[in-house]
Amino acid sequence: MAILVTGGAGYIGSVTVEDLRLGGEDVVVVDNLVYGHRSAVDESVPFYKGDIGDHALIERILDEHKVAACMHFSAYAYVGESVDDPAKYWENNVYQTIGLLGVLLDRGVRRFVFSSTCASYGEPQYVPIDENHTQSPTNPYGWSKFIIERILESYDNAYDLKFVALRYFNAAGATERLGEDHEPETHLIPLVLQAASGERDHVSIFGNDYPTPDGTAIRDYIHISDLSRAHLLALDYLKNGGASEFINLGNGDGYSVKEVIETACRVTGKEIVSQNVPRREGDPSKLVADARKAREVLGWNPGFPKLEQIIESAWRWHQSRPDGFCDE
Ligand code: UDP
């Protein structure tokens, strides 16, 4: 039986594909390569280029492989873009996911691991944020994930779909072979490393008037190998008959934008010039996870919990592949 991985050529998906295979699973990838990289997926993995909303394609995949479960990574994930062009997010993240779920259910695939997000909480009322915290997203990206979570609940109720929705905090870092290569790049750590390596002359700090100790926004950065591991555990959990769950994935430590830049200066030994600019619309001030449930329900334990380790791994990857994947 195979695991269908949507968005398996993307940043988090590709690492999970590699780990699934190391764990002995058969994997099938579907990715439209809008943001993913073909070379991030090993040639030996069955690969289908196309949209998850393409019913005929998903049906063909399910005809050609015995699929036991789906891990659904594919989505647009730019907070700022989602504010400027929300239609893209409703269409891709919501509408196409509904199409995917419809085909999976038609064909009896009832195990689903979903990439959700801490952006579904919105401005926190308390930190660390546990899974019972109210969800009131501050941008269409967060809403698009929130809506799919509600759809999953209703599908469990009506059609017995069993899911784990993993609410990621800030994915970062790299493995030896796979790392973060977005076009355009908007994420803090890769941008900071580009500034360290001289590819850009500075990094912008989006807002220095947040209600945080140094005025810059705080996030909980989690290594992608730890994220990937949680997906494998979620899959085992569902295979063992686990009930549907919403689970945070973070380290429980918050770092401000300034602290990320300072840590990157230490790790790289380079000077990193920063410039204060206004806040980015849709950004909450502080997102830090209470990830106890991941430990309790999934038995998850982060292997790389320290920001230094995360940035070190990203820096190693950045130096080994300064131009990223260079394919699609
Ligand atoms: N950020 C920043 N400058 C940048 C990119 C990001 O100050 O060039 C900030 C952003 O406002 C947020 C944090 O860094 O507070 C992490 O942003 P990122 O885009 O990496 O992830 P997000 O939290 O949006 O998922």
Side-chain angles (χ1 to χ4, degrees):
M1 296 291 273
I3 310 303
L4 173 61
V5 180
T6 75
Y11 175 43
I12 305 166
S14 62
V15 175
T16 309
V17 167
E18 212 165 76
D19 287 345
L20 280 167
R21 295 203 351 130
L22 284 171
E25 298 282 359
D26 285 335
V27 178
V28 187
V29 169
V30 58
D31 196 303
N32 61 12
L33 297 180
V34 169
Y35 291 121
H37 304 280
R38 180 63 187 88
S39 65
V41 183
D42 194 88
E43 287 291 336
S44 61
V45 178
F47 184 91
Y48 295 80
K49 182 175 172 193
D51 290 323
I52 52 154
D54 178 344
H55 291 215
L57 174 68
I58 303 299
E59 281 170 359
R60 181 155 72 85
I61 296 172
L62 298 181
D63 285 341
E64 290 175 2
H65 302 271
K66 274 185 97 56
V67 170
C70 175
M71 289 190 180
H72 178 37
F73 293 94
S74 71
Y76 292 151
Y78 292 121
V79 166
E81 180 188 63
S82 81
V83 175
D84 296 337
D85 192 2
K88 263 180 102 162
Y89 285 72
W90 306 137
E91 159 65 30
N92 191 61
N93 295 9
V94 180
Y95 181 70
Q96 295 222 20
T97 299
I98 293 172
L100 169 72
L101 284 166
V103 179
L104 292 173
L105 287 170
D106 267 357
R107 298 300 181 95
V109 180
R110 289 200 161 69
R111 291 182 185 134
F112 196 76
V113 181
F114 176 57
S115 303
S116 190
T117 173
C118 63
S120 67
Y121 292 115
E123 192 58 42
Q125 276 144 37
Y126 57 86
V127 282
I129 300 169
D130 59 28
E131 290 81 357
N132 296 322
H133 188 286
T134 354
Q135 288 177 290
S136 179
T138 53
N139 53 67
Y141 165 65
W143 279 113
S144 72
K145 296 288 185 172
F146 172 90
I147 290 167
I148 297 301
E149 286 193 355
R150 303 293 75 76
I151 289 172
L152 290 174
E153 275 178 326
S154 71
Y155 282 16
D156 181 6
N157 184 42
Y159 314 128
D160 200 28
L161 175 78
K162 294 298 168 211
F163 66 88
V164 177
L166 296 170
R167 293 179 182 155
Y168 310 160
F169 282 64
N170 285 60
T175 67
E176 212 177 298
R177 201 178 79 75
L178 299 167
E180 195 163 9
D181 175 13
H182 296 116
E183 185 49 48
E185 189 53 80
T186 64
H187 292 103
L188 181 65
I189 290 180
L191 289 174
V192 166
L193 296 181
Q194 286 175 9
S197 66
E199 286 157 70
R200 58 179 63 235
D201 53 20
H202 73 277
V203 60
S204 300
I205 297 178
F206 295 152
N208 62 351
D209 55 352
Y210 282 105
T212 59
D214 67 18
T216 68
I218 289 178
R219 295 287 181 276
D220 181 340
Y221 295 89
I222 170 170
H223 194 282
I224 38 160
S225 294
D226 288 330
L227 267 186
S228 162
R229 174 100 195 105
H231 287 77
L232 271 64
L233 292 167
L235 184 66
D236 285 345
Y237 167 83
L238 290 175
K239 280 183 181 167
N240 292 329
S244 298
E245 284 288 3
F246 301 96
I247 297 180
N248 283 344
L249 288 176
N251 284 307
D253 293 322
Y255 294 94
S256 71
V257 174
K258 274 192 181 156
E259 285 172 324
V260 169
I261 297 171
E262 283 157 18
T263 308
C265 282
R266 275 202 309 281
V267 166
T268 63
K270 309 277 185 191
E271 191 197 350
I272 298 171
V273 180
S274 61
Q275 250 175 39
N276 292 319
V277 300
R279 292 181 183 193
R280 184 171 64 180
E281 203 185 330
D283 269 347
S285 59
K286 188 171 184 183
L287 293 170
V288 179
D290 178 337
R292 273 178 300 183
K293 191 169 172 185
R295 293 168 194 266
E296 286 162 16
V297 175
L298 302 180
W300 178 75
N301 250 316
F304 308 97
K306 298 210 166 75
L307 184 64
E308 273 85 4
Q309 297 172 298
I310 295 171
I311 294 182
E312 262 162 30
S313 71
W315 180 235
R316 266 197 304 277
W317 192 79
H318 186 82
Q319 286 178 303
S320 69
R321 301 191 78 143
D323 299 319
F325 287 102
C326 295
D327 54 358
E328 307 261 353

